[in-house]
Amino acid sequence: MRPFVRGPILLILMNHSRTQLIAGNWKMNCSRSEAIQLASHVVATLKPVDAQLLICVPSIHLADISRLIANSRVLLGAQNAHWQEKGAYTGEISVNMLADYQVSYLLVGHSERRQMFADDNKKVALKFEAALKNGLTPILCIGETLEQRQQNLTLNVLQVQCEAVVKQVGIKAFANACVAYEPIWAIGTGQTATPEQAQQVHQALRAWFAEQDEEIATNLQILYGGSMNAGNAEELLAQPDIDGGLIGGASLKADAFLKIYSAAG
Ligand code: PEP
């Protein structure tokens, strides 16, 4: 993976038409009534700007939230799904089941799933593929640990995580997908990557995609995730290769979440 911007990449930056995507990841938070209250508040106080707004809610709340956001600008996402269509997979939910609830995005490869639920690169690639087959946009989450960063392995780690998916679905499939760079050391820690640190990685990632397909790389939304909040969003989102945010903690407060959204517009 190339760490620096070179000539052709500068050209890409000049020609892109990427919209920013602000995606909330509620994780395993919110009772039913809290979820309804939070989503209602977002819908009611949303002041539209030129950016997309997405909430990835716990699956058990999808039916309620899907009804609630119908006819609004808010998009609905799920946090996980199985790649098989159906079968003896106790406790799992398939991607085509999600599609019945107007779910249009699916998080795949979140570090919490990689670390705690054994979602390895192969499973992540299968989930990514299943999302695409069912008309959902996968958001491929990738990121390095602090140790890996300290050992200068960040770009290698990200490359391996992306390569597994490219091998499964091909580079062109990324025309209908997003990537979220989420340094593990920044998730839920309050220790946000600096705008410069994040931009450097996003730029290198885009260059890596460009080596395979320039058009795909030019149009690919690469989100940043890791302690993004109402105070730091504007500076992060102003970076040329940061095309939005994946937001955990700050997405649980409608006002903070919408401030981030406004910063994207
Ligand atoms: C996340 O869960 O993807 C995340 C970025 O969380 P937080 O914003 O709380 O760091």
Side-chain angles (χ1 to χ4, degrees):
M1 195 177 278
R2 297 185 311 197
F4 303 112
V5 172
R6 296 179 189 177
I9 308 306
L10 285 173
L11 234 179
I12 283 169
L13 295 178
M14 284 190 285
N15 293 330
H16 81 76
S17 59
R18 298 183 298 271
T19 312
Q20 300 245 10
L21 169 64
I22 300 301
N25 173 15
W26 290 6
K27 312 194 188 194
M28 196 175 73
N29 290 298
C30 296
S31 65
R32 185 178 182 209
S33 63
E34 287 166 344
I36 290 172
Q37 207 181 359
L38 176 55
S40 304
H41 194 160
V42 170
V43 170
T45 54
L46 168 65
K47 291 196 183 66
V49 296
D50 187 20
Q52 298 166 295
L53 189 66
L54 165 70
I55 48 177
C56 300
V57 310
S59 295
I60 198 163
H61 299 322
L62 285 172
D64 283 322
I65 306 302
S66 162
R67 271 192 297 272
L68 209 152
I69 62 168
N71 306 317
S72 82
R73 289 173 64 106
V74 183
L75 300 164
L76 188 58
Q79 300 171 16
N80 182 42
H82 199 278
W83 58 90
Q84 295 286 358
E85 201 181 308
K86 60 181 175 180
Y89 303 99
T90 303
E92 292 290 330
I93 292 172
S94 68
V95 182
N96 53 307
M97 290 173 187
L98 295 175
D100 286 340
Y101 292 92
Q102 287 74 52
V103 173
S104 47
Y105 284 81
L106 178 66
L107 298 182
V108 298
H110 192 283
S111 62
E112 287 156 14
R113 294 219 49 95
R114 289 181 191 264
Q115 292 187 324
M116 291 187 269
F117 303 102
D119 277 10
D120 58 22
N121 281 330
K122 181 65 189 172
K123 286 183 194 166
V124 170
L126 290 169
K127 290 179 184 197
F128 187 105
E129 185 177 42
L132 288 174
K133 276 190 183 151
N134 286 279
L136 274 69
T137 304
I139 299 179
L140 172 64
C141 303
I142 55 174
E144 82 286 5
T145 63
L146 186 58
E147 293 70 37
Q148 289 165 334
R149 172 164 280 261
Q150 284 164 345
Q151 289 164 24
N152 227 6
L153 292 173
T154 299
L155 298 179
N156 300 62
V157 170
L158 304 182
Q159 185 174 347
V160 169
Q161 290 172 334
C162 290
E163 256 168 4
V165 178
V166 173
K167 193 170 154 216
Q168 182 71 27
V169 297
I171 186 67
K172 292 284 185 204
F174 279 79
N176 299 308
C178 307
V179 170
Y181 168 55
E182 298 207 300
I184 296 171
W185 47 271
I187 296 180
T189 59
Q191 202 191 326
T192 321
T194 64
E196 295 72 30
Q197 277 175 325
Q199 166 58 21
Q200 192 183 27
V201 172
H202 281 230
Q203 182 180 293
L205 261 175
R206 197 177 306 285
W208 181 78
F209 277 98
E211 278 167 12
Q212 297 164 76
D213 191 308
E214 279 209 18
E215 198 183 343
I216 291 289
T218 302
N219 295 317
L220 184 64
Q221 282 174 316
I222 308 181
L223 318 183
Y224 167 79
S227 298
M228 188 185 272
N229 58 42
N232 60 29
E234 197 171 343
E235 225 188 325
L236 284 160
L237 295 172
Q239 301 303 312
D241 286 292
I242 300 185
D243 309 312
L246 180 55
I247 297 121
S251 71
L252 296 171
K253 294 194 179 84
D255 294 343
F257 187 50
L258 289 176
K259 264 192 197 143
I260 299 172
Y261 172 66
S262 300

mmCIF file of all heavy atoms in Angstrom, residues 3-42:
data_model
loop_
_atom_site.group_PDB
_atom_site.id
_atom_site.type_symbol
_atom_site.label_atom_id
_atom_site.label_comp_id
_atom_site.label_asym_id
_atom_site.label_seq_id
_atom_site.Cartn_x
_atom_site.Cartn_y
_atom_site.Cartn_z
ATOM 1 N N PRO A 3 2.001 4.934 0.802
ATOM 2 C CA PRO A 3 1.661 5.891 1.855
ATOM 3 C C PRO A 3 1.517 7.332 1.394
ATOM 4 O O PRO A 3 1.020 8.139 2.103
ATOM 5 C CB PRO A 3 2.828 5.750 2.839
ATOM 6 C CG PRO A 3 3.969 5.259 2.024
ATOM 7 C CD PRO A 3 3.397 4.485 0.878
ATOM 8 N N PHE A 4 1.952 7.665 0.192
ATOM 9 C CA PHE A 4 1.952 9.075 -0.202
ATOM 10 C C PHE A 4 1.101 9.313 -1.446
ATOM 11 O O PHE A 4 0.928 8.442 -2.278
ATOM 12 C CB PHE A 4 3.384 9.542 -0.498
ATOM 13 C CG PHE A 4 4.316 9.344 0.652
ATOM 14 C CD1 PHE A 4 5.341 8.419 0.572
ATOM 15 C CD2 PHE A 4 4.140 10.047 1.831
ATOM 16 C CE1 PHE A 4 6.189 8.223 1.647
ATOM 17 C CE2 PHE A 4 4.992 9.857 2.897
ATOM 18 C CZ PHE A 4 6.022 8.936 2.817
ATOM 19 N N VAL A 5 0.601 10.542 -1.541
ATOM 20 C CA VAL A 5 -0.135 10.943 -2.746
ATOM 21 C C VAL A 5 0.843 11.144 -3.886
ATOM 22 O O VAL A 5 1.877 11.761 -3.709
ATOM 23 C CB VAL A 5 -0.886 12.274 -2.513
ATOM 24 C CG1 VAL A 5 -1.486 12.785 -3.803
ATOM 25 C CG2 VAL A 5 -1.966 12.091 -1.481
ATOM 26 N N ARG A 6 0.514 10.584 -5.037
ATOM 27 C CA ARG A 6 1.342 10.836 -6.224
ATOM 28 C C ARG A 6 0.469 11.454 -7.297
ATOM 29 O O ARG A 6 -0.733 11.604 -7.106
ATOM 30 C CB ARG A 6 1.941 9.517 -6.704
ATOM 31 C CG ARG A 6 2.877 8.971 -5.640
ATOM 32 C CD ARG A 6 3.485 7.666 -6.029
ATOM 33 N NE ARG A 6 4.184 7.151 -4.871
ATOM 34 C CZ ARG A 6 4.786 5.979 -4.837
ATOM 35 N NH1 ARG A 6 4.780 5.198 -5.884
ATOM 36 N NH2 ARG A 6 5.388 5.589 -3.763
ATOM 37 N N GLY A 7 1.060 11.746 -8.453
ATOM 38 C CA GLY A 7 0.371 12.463 -9.519
ATOM 39 C C GLY A 7 -1.036 12.002 -9.839
ATOM 40 O O GLY A 7 -1.987 12.767 -9.710
ATOM 41 N N PRO A 8 -1.230 10.725 -10.246
ATOM 42 C CA PRO A 8 -2.549 10.281 -10.670
ATOM 43 C C PRO A 8 -3.596 10.411 -9.567
ATOM 44 O O PRO A 8 -4.762 10.661 -9.824
ATOM 45 C CB PRO A 8 -2.337 8.801 -11.012
ATOM 46 C CG PRO A 8 -0.864 8.635 -11.147
ATOM 47 C CD PRO A 8 -0.225 9.707 -10.339
ATOM 48 N N ILE A 9 -3.162 10.294 -8.329
ATOM 49 C CA ILE A 9 -4.112 10.349 -7.221
ATOM 50 C C ILE A 9 -4.623 11.782 -7.049
ATOM 51 O O ILE A 9 -5.790 12.007 -6.759
ATOM 52 C CB ILE A 9 -3.474 9.840 -5.912
ATOM 53 C CG1 ILE A 9 -2.849 8.473 -6.131
ATOM 54 C CG2 ILE A 9 -4.506 9.774 -4.787
ATOM 55 C CD1 ILE A 9 -3.782 7.427 -6.722
ATOM 56 N N LEU A 10 -3.740 12.771 -7.297
ATOM 57 C CA LEU A 10 -4.174 14.157 -7.217
ATOM 58 C C LEU A 10 -5.288 14.408 -8.218
ATOM 59 O O LEU A 10 -6.254 15.082 -7.944
ATOM 60 C CB LEU A 10 -2.986 15.095 -7.498
ATOM 61 C CG LEU A 10 -1.986 15.216 -6.348
ATOM 62 C CD1 LEU A 10 -0.779 16.029 -6.793
ATOM 63 C CD2 LEU A 10 -2.644 15.895 -5.149
ATOM 64 N N LEU A 11 -5.157 13.802 -9.406
ATOM 65 C CA LEU A 11 -6.170 13.922 -10.436
ATOM 66 C C LEU A 11 -7.506 13.376 -9.936
ATOM 67 O O LEU A 11 -8.557 13.982 -10.082
ATOM 68 C CB LEU A 11 -5.727 13.094 -11.644
ATOM 69 C CG LEU A 11 -5.674 13.797 -13.005
ATOM 70 C CD1 LEU A 11 -5.187 12.848 -14.061
ATOM 71 C CD2 LEU A 11 -6.992 14.430 -13.347
ATOM 72 N N ILE A 12 -7.430 12.215 -9.273
ATOM 73 C CA ILE A 12 -8.633 11.586 -8.733
ATOM 74 C C ILE A 12 -9.335 12.538 -7.776
ATOM 75 O O ILE A 12 -10.527 12.746 -7.827
ATOM 76 C CB ILE A 12 -8.257 10.291 -7.984
ATOM 77 C CG1 ILE A 12 -7.969 9.190 -8.994
ATOM 78 C CG2 ILE A 12 -9.379 9.825 -7.064
ATOM 79 C CD1 ILE A 12 -7.342 7.975 -8.380
ATOM 80 N N LEU A 13 -8.546 13.174 -6.899
ATOM 81 C CA LEU A 13 -9.140 14.048 -5.897
ATOM 82 C C LEU A 13 -9.875 15.202 -6.552
ATOM 83 O O LEU A 13 -10.890 15.647 -6.067
ATOM 84 C CB LEU A 13 -8.046 14.580 -4.957
ATOM 85 C CG LEU A 13 -7.353 13.527 -4.092
ATOM 86 C CD1 LEU A 13 -6.275 14.179 -3.245
ATOM 87 C CD2 LEU A 13 -8.353 12.801 -3.211
ATOM 88 N N MET A 14 -9.336 15.670 -7.679
ATOM 89 C CA MET A 14 -9.960 16.819 -8.323
ATOM 90 C C MET A 14 -11.291 16.445 -8.957
ATOM 91 O O MET A 14 -12.154 17.284 -9.099
ATOM 92 C CB MET A 14 -9.015 17.384 -9.377
ATOM 93 C CG MET A 14 -7.871 18.177 -8.770
ATOM 94 S SD MET A 14 -6.950 19.063 -9.993
ATOM 95 C CE MET A 14 -6.018 17.738 -10.743
ATOM 96 N N ASN A 15 -11.457 15.192 -9.345
ATOM 97 C CA ASN A 15 -12.638 14.834 -10.122
ATOM 98 C C ASN A 15 -13.729 14.113 -9.352
ATOM 99 O O ASN A 15 -14.736 13.766 -9.918
ATOM 100 C CB ASN A 15 -12.215 13.938 -11.300
ATOM 101 C CG ASN A 15 -11.375 14.730 -12.281
ATOM 102 O OD1 ASN A 15 -11.566 15.932 -12.405
ATOM 103 N ND2 ASN A 15 -10.451 14.068 -12.940
ATOM 104 N N HIS A 16 -13.544 13.915 -8.083
ATOM 105 C CA HIS A 16 -14.521 13.080 -7.397
ATOM 106 C C HIS A 16 -15.838 13.810 -7.141
ATOM 107 O O HIS A 16 -15.907 15.019 -7.107
ATOM 108 C CB HIS A 16 -13.941 12.545 -6.084
ATOM 109 C CG HIS A 16 -14.000 13.505 -4.947
ATOM 110 N ND1 HIS A 16 -15.165 13.760 -4.277
ATOM 111 C CD2 HIS A 16 -13.055 14.251 -4.360
ATOM 112 C CE1 HIS A 16 -14.919 14.620 -3.315
ATOM 113 N NE2 HIS A 16 -13.649 14.945 -3.358
ATOM 114 N N SER A 17 -16.900 13.027 -6.972
ATOM 115 C CA SER A 17 -18.209 13.614 -6.661
ATOM 116 C C SER A 17 -18.820 12.819 -5.512
ATOM 117 O O SER A 17 -19.953 12.380 -5.596
ATOM 118 C CB SER A 17 -19.100 13.546 -7.891
ATOM 119 O OG SER A 17 -19.239 12.189 -8.271
ATOM 120 N N ARG A 18 -18.046 12.608 -4.491
ATOM 121 C CA ARG A 18 -18.528 11.765 -3.392
ATOM 122 C C ARG A 18 -19.370 12.572 -2.411
ATOM 123 O O ARG A 18 -18.983 13.660 -2.009
ATOM 124 C CB ARG A 18 -17.344 11.136 -2.641
ATOM 125 C CG ARG A 18 -16.494 10.221 -3.497
ATOM 126 C CD ARG A 18 -15.390 9.586 -2.680
ATOM 127 N NE ARG A 18 -14.464 10.522 -2.106
ATOM 128 C CZ ARG A 18 -13.354 10.968 -2.701
ATOM 129 N NH1 ARG A 18 -13.046 10.526 -3.902
ATOM 130 N NH2 ARG A 18 -12.556 11.826 -2.098
ATOM 131 N N THR A 19 -20.511 11.984 -2.033
ATOM 132 C CA THR A 19 -21.356 12.587 -0.997
ATOM 133 C C THR A 19 -20.863 12.062 0.344
ATOM 134 O O THR A 19 -20.382 10.944 0.433
ATOM 135 C CB THR A 19 -22.815 12.102 -1.195
ATOM 136 O OG1 THR A 19 -23.151 12.258 -2.556
ATOM 137 C CG2 THR A 19 -23.785 12.869 -0.326
ATOM 138 N N GLN A 20 -20.995 12.851 1.379
ATOM 139 C CA GLN A 20 -20.606 12.373 2.709
ATOM 140 C C GLN A 20 -21.732 11.517 3.290
ATOM 141 O O GLN A 20 -22.916 11.803 3.096
ATOM 142 C CB GLN A 20 -20.355 13.567 3.632
ATOM 143 C CG GLN A 20 -19.259 14.476 3.125
ATOM 144 C CD GLN A 20 -18.039 14.506 4.043
ATOM 145 O OE1 GLN A 20 -17.916 13.725 4.965
ATOM 146 N NE2 GLN A 20 -17.142 15.418 3.767
ATOM 147 N N LEU A 21 -21.333 10.479 3.994
ATOM 148 C CA LEU A 21 -22.300 9.594 4.662
ATOM 149 C C LEU A 21 -22.024 9.623 6.161
ATOM 150 O O LEU A 21 -20.913 9.315 6.606
ATOM 151 C CB LEU A 21 -22.152 8.161 4.126
ATOM 152 C CG LEU A 21 -22.901 7.067 4.905
ATOM 153 C CD1 LEU A 21 -24.421 7.267 4.848
ATOM 154 C CD2 LEU A 21 -22.560 5.682 4.344
ATOM 155 N N ILE A 22 -23.034 10.003 6.924
ATOM 156 C CA ILE A 22 -22.910 9.992 8.379
ATOM 157 C C ILE A 22 -23.731 8.819 8.884
ATOM 158 O O ILE A 22 -24.959 8.780 8.714
ATOM 159 C CB ILE A 22 -23.414 11.326 8.985
ATOM 160 C CG1 ILE A 22 -22.595 12.502 8.429
ATOM 161 C CG2 ILE A 22 -23.359 11.283 10.515
ATOM 162 C CD1 ILE A 22 -21.095 12.429 8.688
ATOM 163 N N ALA A 23 -23.039 7.840 9.464
ATOM 164 C CA ALA A 23 -23.690 6.587 9.856
ATOM 165 C C ALA A 23 -23.572 6.395 11.368
ATOM 166 O O ALA A 23 -22.475 6.433 11.920
ATOM 167 C CB ALA A 23 -23.008 5.420 9.130
ATOM 168 N N GLY A 24 -24.696 6.190 12.006
ATOM 169 C CA GLY A 24 -24.687 5.910 13.447
ATOM 170 C C GLY A 24 -24.705 4.409 13.685
ATOM 171 O O GLY A 24 -25.410 3.676 12.986
ATOM 172 N N ASN A 25 -23.898 3.977 14.632
ATOM 173 C CA ASN A 25 -23.895 2.565 15.023
ATOM 174 C C ASN A 25 -24.334 2.512 16.480
ATOM 175 O O ASN A 25 -23.552 2.825 17.373
ATOM 176 C CB ASN A 25 -22.477 1.986 14.852
ATOM 177 C CG ASN A 25 -22.366 0.573 15.401
ATOM 178 O OD1 ASN A 25 -23.379 -0.088 15.658
ATOM 179 N ND2 ASN A 25 -21.138 0.096 15.575
ATOM 180 N N TRP A 26 -25.587 2.113 16.673
ATOM 181 C CA TRP A 26 -26.138 2.116 18.040
ATOM 182 C C TRP A 26 -25.590 0.958 18.870
ATOM 183 O O TRP A 26 -25.805 0.908 20.073
ATOM 184 C CB TRP A 26 -27.664 2.034 17.994
ATOM 185 C CG TRP A 26 -28.361 3.257 17.481
ATOM 186 C CD1 TRP A 26 -27.790 4.384 16.945
ATOM 187 C CD2 TRP A 26 -29.785 3.481 17.452
ATOM 188 N NE1 TRP A 26 -28.768 5.290 16.591
ATOM 189 C CE2 TRP A 26 -29.997 4.761 16.887
ATOM 190 C CE3 TRP A 26 -30.887 2.719 17.832
ATOM 191 C CZ2 TRP A 26 -31.277 5.294 16.715
ATOM 192 C CZ3 TRP A 26 -32.164 3.252 17.654
ATOM 193 C CH2 TRP A 26 -32.343 4.527 17.101
ATOM 194 N N LYS A 27 -24.931 0.009 18.230
ATOM 195 C CA LYS A 27 -24.427 -1.199 18.917
ATOM 196 C C LYS A 27 -25.559 -1.854 19.714
ATOM 197 O O LYS A 27 -26.708 -1.772 19.307
ATOM 198 C CB LYS A 27 -23.223 -0.854 19.792
ATOM 199 C CG LYS A 27 -22.175 -0.014 19.076
ATOM 200 C CD LYS A 27 -20.875 0.028 19.811
ATOM 201 C CE LYS A 27 -19.949 1.036 19.155
ATOM 202 N NZ LYS A 27 -18.582 0.937 19.559
ATOM 203 N N MET A 28 -25.253 -2.459 20.869
ATOM 204 C CA MET A 28 -26.301 -3.132 21.647
ATOM 205 C C MET A 28 -26.814 -2.177 22.725
ATOM 206 O O MET A 28 -26.656 -2.408 23.921
ATOM 207 C CB MET A 28 -25.749 -4.423 22.283
ATOM 208 C CG MET A 28 -26.841 -5.361 22.768
ATOM 209 S SD MET A 28 -26.178 -6.916 23.380
ATOM 210 C CE MET A 28 -25.440 -6.419 24.936
ATOM 211 N N ASN A 29 -27.390 -1.068 22.241
ATOM 212 C CA ASN A 29 -27.924 -0.058 23.145
ATOM 213 C C ASN A 29 -29.370 0.234 22.764
ATOM 214 O O ASN A 29 -29.769 0.011 21.634
ATOM 215 C CB ASN A 29 -27.104 1.240 23.042
ATOM 216 C CG ASN A 29 -25.715 1.075 23.629
ATOM 217 O OD1 ASN A 29 -25.560 0.812 24.815
ATOM 218 N ND2 ASN A 29 -24.704 1.187 22.784
ATOM 219 N N CYS A 30 -30.096 0.752 23.716
ATOM 220 C CA CYS A 30 -31.481 1.232 23.562
ATOM 221 C C CYS A 30 -32.515 0.131 23.760
ATOM 222 O O CYS A 30 -32.548 -0.869 23.021
ATOM 223 C CB CYS A 30 -31.741 1.875 22.197
ATOM 224 S SG CYS A 30 -30.796 3.360 21.911
ATOM 225 N N SER A 31 -33.371 0.343 24.743
ATOM 226 C CA SER A 31 -34.582 -0.479 24.870
ATOM 227 C C SER A 31 -35.495 -0.087 23.711
ATOM 228 O O SER A 31 -35.193 0.877 22.978
ATOM 229 C CB SER A 31 -35.277 -0.159 26.194
ATOM 230 O OG SER A 31 -35.726 1.188 26.155
ATOM 231 N N ARG A 32 -36.610 -0.777 23.582
ATOM 232 C CA ARG A 32 -37.524 -0.446 22.485
ATOM 233 C C ARG A 32 -37.977 1.011 22.584
ATOM 234 O O ARG A 32 -37.951 1.743 21.593
ATOM 235 C CB ARG A 32 -38.722 -1.404 22.524
ATOM 236 C CG ARG A 32 -39.644 -1.197 21.365
ATOM 237 C CD ARG A 32 -40.803 -2.178 21.378
ATOM 238 N NE ARG A 32 -41.631 -1.971 20.206
ATOM 239 C CZ ARG A 32 -42.934 -2.214 20.162
ATOM 240 N NH1 ARG A 32 -43.543 -2.710 21.214
ATOM 241 N NH2 ARG A 32 -43.622 -1.975 19.063
ATOM 242 N N SER A 33 -38.394 1.421 23.778
ATOM 243 C CA SER A 33 -38.906 2.798 23.900
ATOM 244 C C SER A 33 -37.782 3.811 23.697
ATOM 245 O O SER A 33 -37.989 4.869 23.081
ATOM 246 C CB SER A 33 -39.619 3.004 25.234
ATOM 247 O OG SER A 33 -38.706 2.837 26.284
ATOM 248 N N GLU A 34 -36.582 3.508 24.161
ATOM 249 C CA GLU A 34 -35.459 4.437 23.940
ATOM 250 C C GLU A 34 -35.127 4.543 22.449
ATOM 251 O O GLU A 34 -34.815 5.629 21.950
ATOM 252 C CB GLU A 34 -34.221 3.950 24.701
ATOM 253 C CG GLU A 34 -34.310 4.144 26.206
ATOM 254 C CD GLU A 34 -33.239 3.364 26.977
ATOM 255 O OE1 GLU A 34 -32.610 2.443 26.411
ATOM 256 O OE2 GLU A 34 -33.064 3.664 28.162
ATOM 257 N N ALA A 35 -35.199 3.418 21.759
ATOM 258 C CA ALA A 35 -34.887 3.415 20.321
ATOM 259 C C ALA A 35 -35.903 4.263 19.560
ATOM 260 O O ALA A 35 -35.532 5.069 18.689
ATOM 261 C CB ALA A 35 -34.887 1.980 19.792
ATOM 262 N N ILE A 36 -37.162 4.111 19.928
ATOM 263 C CA ILE A 36 -38.219 4.874 19.250
ATOM 264 C C ILE A 36 -38.043 6.366 19.538
ATOM 265 O O ILE A 36 -38.151 7.205 18.640
ATOM 266 C CB ILE A 36 -39.609 4.352 19.681
ATOM 267 C CG1 ILE A 36 -39.829 2.956 19.078
ATOM 268 C CG2 ILE A 36 -40.725 5.307 19.279
ATOM 269 C CD1 ILE A 36 -41.064 2.228 19.553
ATOM 270 N N GLN A 37 -37.724 6.661 20.773
ATOM 271 C CA GLN A 37 -37.534 8.068 21.158
ATOM 272 C C GLN A 37 -36.347 8.697 20.408
ATOM 273 O O GLN A 37 -36.438 9.804 19.874
ATOM 274 C CB GLN A 37 -37.281 8.117 22.657
ATOM 275 C CG GLN A 37 -37.691 9.423 23.285
ATOM 276 C CD GLN A 37 -37.382 9.411 24.788
ATOM 277 O OE1 GLN A 37 -36.889 8.426 25.343
ATOM 278 N NE2 GLN A 37 -37.661 10.516 25.432
ATOM 279 N N LEU A 38 -35.259 7.968 20.366
ATOM 280 C CA LEU A 38 -34.055 8.478 19.705
ATOM 281 C C LEU A 38 -34.290 8.698 18.211
ATOM 282 O O LEU A 38 -33.988 9.768 17.661
ATOM 283 C CB LEU A 38 -32.894 7.495 19.944
ATOM 284 C CG LEU A 38 -31.553 7.776 19.280
ATOM 285 C CD1 LEU A 38 -31.029 9.173 19.612
ATOM 286 C CD2 LEU A 38 -30.518 6.721 19.711
ATOM 287 N N ALA A 39 -34.851 7.678 17.555
ATOM 288 C CA ALA A 39 -35.082 7.813 16.110
ATOM 289 C C ALA A 39 -36.113 8.907 15.831
ATOM 290 O O ALA A 39 -35.965 9.669 14.860
ATOM 291 C CB ALA A 39 -35.541 6.482 15.533
ATOM 292 N N SER A 40 -37.137 9.018 16.674
ATOM 293 C CA SER A 40 -38.158 10.067 16.473
ATOM 294 C C SER A 40 -37.524 11.440 16.588
ATOM 295 O O SER A 40 -37.814 12.347 15.796
ATOM 296 C CB SER A 40 -39.268 9.983 17.534
ATOM 297 O OG SER A 40 -39.836 8.725 17.543
ATOM 298 N N HIS A 41 -36.635 11.589 17.568
ATOM 299 C CA HIS A 41 -35.961 12.870 17.772
ATOM 300 C C HIS A 41 -35.103 13.220 16.545
ATOM 301 O O HIS A 41 -35.094 14.356 16.075
ATOM 302 C CB HIS A 41 -35.102 12.783 19.044
ATOM 303 C CG HIS A 41 -34.626 14.105 19.556
ATOM 304 N ND1 HIS A 41 -34.205 14.303 20.837
ATOM 305 C CD2 HIS A 41 -34.460 15.299 18.942
ATOM 306 C CE1 HIS A 41 -33.824 15.563 20.988
ATOM 307 N NE2 HIS A 41 -33.965 16.180 19.846
ATOM 308 N N VAL A 42 -34.402 12.229 16.025
ATOM 309 C CA VAL A 42 -33.565 12.466 14.835
ATOM 310 C C VAL A 42 -34.442 12.912 13.662
ATOM 311 O O VAL A 42 -34.165 13.918 13.000
ATOM 312 C CB VAL A 42 -32.751 11.195 14.463
ATOM 313 C CG1 VAL A 42 -32.081 11.354 13.098
ATOM 314 C CG2 VAL A 42 -31.703 10.896 15.529
#
